[in-house]
Amino acid sequence: MPSHARITVALGVGQLIEWFDWTLYASFAVFFAGSFFPAGHGGETALLSAFAVYAVGFLFRPLGGVVLGHLADRFGRGIVFNLTVLLMAGGSLAIAVMPTFGQIGIAAPVLLILARAVQGISAGGEMPSSTALATEAAPAGRRAFHSSALFVGSGIGVLLASLLGWLLTSTLTDAQISGFGWRVAFGFGAVLGLVGLALRRSLLLPEQAMAQQPAPGPAGGAGHARRRPGGFVGTVRTHGKSVLRVAGFAVAATVGFYTLTVYMSTHLQVEVGMHPATAFKVNCIMLLVYSVLLPLSGLAADRWGRRPVMGWSALAMAVVLVPCVALMSREVAVTLPLLLVCFALLGVFHGPFPALMSEQFPAEKRGIGVGTSYSLVAALFGGTATYLATWLRSLGHPLWFFGYVAATFALAAVTMYIIPETASVPSDPERPADGF
């Protein structure tokens, strides 16, 4: 396999493991929430608490993005790859064997928060290193196509988690899933993480990753001056415009992904009234469609540019999302085509997203640049999405949340209209093109 293809597959494996584990938590929260939070609070409050912990995990993503992104820039992209997968698998294993509130009291939710913090650091470090290497290793004119493998891996990870949820909800009763089934799911996540680690090591050796690392500038002169501003503050000061660009279109990318691929199965069960097995089955079908469209969207963006592909899909999503959700029902024949429209638009938007995000920063600041901007957006908006959706539903206004998601895509459409096109810009420019 050519080196760039091996790297692309290895990067997709990392995203697969990450999103399998994160989806497990969101999908099974309705079953294990009562195990970690006092039963006297009631099911709805326990679920809100579980999703609050889910959001806490996102708060640690900026820490992982900044620290591990800096390590990727300083010592090479490959150094963080094995570490991130190992941390993710370790967090799943800890949750699988964790004592409940009835056994150890308040220590149970504290341990749950710690496990999610570890997984948050892992997730924060995975994306910046992966986007940087995917962009730098791709052949000329194929950056969006190869970097789309990141979201293909994410989609397959969510798909596998949904398949596992479908299997468990089809074979076990709700009481059994609440008792031990959710532990089986997280245990499987830990095993899958170890398998993914072995596969990634066989596909992407540290020497390969280091070989793809951009050569550092000279020790003195202009090269030294260019590298001197470092860390979070230095990145924001020297590349603040690029951080704002990424934030403008990354909010929709993160909120849209968590809403449709992670939270939607919960929405179909709790609000629409679908049986859990049916909801997981519908989600699996949609994820297949989504994953197939990603590389096709990447090819289109390499051919016609990032702005038209992502801009028009964002605008369409802003228009159709709320009406589609409002028309959903427990009848699969009604809900399936409505979801198909939403997932198709999301796949088109996500295909070029990693490449566009990476292209906003010069090579020597790409890891920490993406880690700073994307991780902050993911923490502030992506991590709070499921909690906000559950809270608004508890108030009797579930569609308000989807209106909020539609607004993020409207922002992305405006951002895509005003930022410069980067499809033809070299993968290691000194700075992005002039413009906003």
Side-chain angles (χ1 to χ4, degrees), residues 238-262:
T238 58
H239 301 287
K241 189 179 292 186
S242 297
V243 172
L244 289 177
R245 288 192 190 110
V246 172
F249 57 81
V251 173
T254 54
V255 173
F257 186 84
Y258 301 130
T259 299
L260 291 182
T261 67
V262 178

Side-chain angles (χ1 to χ4, degrees), residues 274-343:
M274 276 190 182
H275 186 275
T278 304
F280 280 119
K281 179 170 63 176
V282 168
N283 211 40
C284 290
I285 297 172
M286 292 300 99
L287 287 166
L288 282 174
V289 175
Y290 167 81
S291 298
V292 169
L293 283 175
L294 287 166
L296 298 178
S297 174
L299 285 174
D302 284 327
R303 174 65 179 84
W304 293 295
R306 284 69 163 124
R307 294 176 63 204
V309 173
M310 294 181 65
W312 284 110
S313 59
L315 181 61
M317 180 70 93
V319 173
V320 306
L321 179 61
V322 173
C324 284
V325 174
L327 293 173
M328 290 178 186
S329 73
R330 66 179 64 188
E331 298 296 328
V332 175
V334 174
T335 299
L336 200 62
L338 295 172
L339 279 176
L340 181 61
V341 172
C342 297
F343 271 84

Side-chain angles (χ1 to χ4, degrees), residues 4 31-32 108 132 151 214 224 226 229 262 305 313 340 404 406:
H4 57 77
F31 297 110
F32 68 75
F151 274 101
H224 176 74
R226 187 176 66 181
V262 178
S313 59
L340 181 61
Y404 157 74

Side-chain angles (χ1 to χ4, degrees), residues 379-435:
L380 295 176
F381 298 96
T384 58
T386 53
Y387 182 88
L388 180 61
T390 304
W391 177 64
L392 289 175
R393 182 174 53 78
S394 69
L395 296 179
H397 303 291
L399 286 181
W400 287 11
F401 169 72
F402 292 96
Y404 157 74
V405 178
T408 66
F409 278 96
L411 173 63
V414 173
T415 304
M416 297 308 302
Y417 178 76
I418 61 179
I419 68 173
E421 179 61 65
T422 57
S424 60
V425 176
S427 62
D428 56 346
E430 177 73 17
R431 61 182 58 87
D434 293 335

Side-chain angles (χ1 to χ4, degrees), residues 30 58 71 97 118 144 156-157 175 218 303 316 336 343 347 351 356 362 365 388:
V30 67
F58 278 84
L71 289 178
V97 301
V118 169
I156 295 175
R303 174 65 179 84
L336 200 62
F343 271 84
L356 179 63
K365 289 297 180 183
L388 180 61

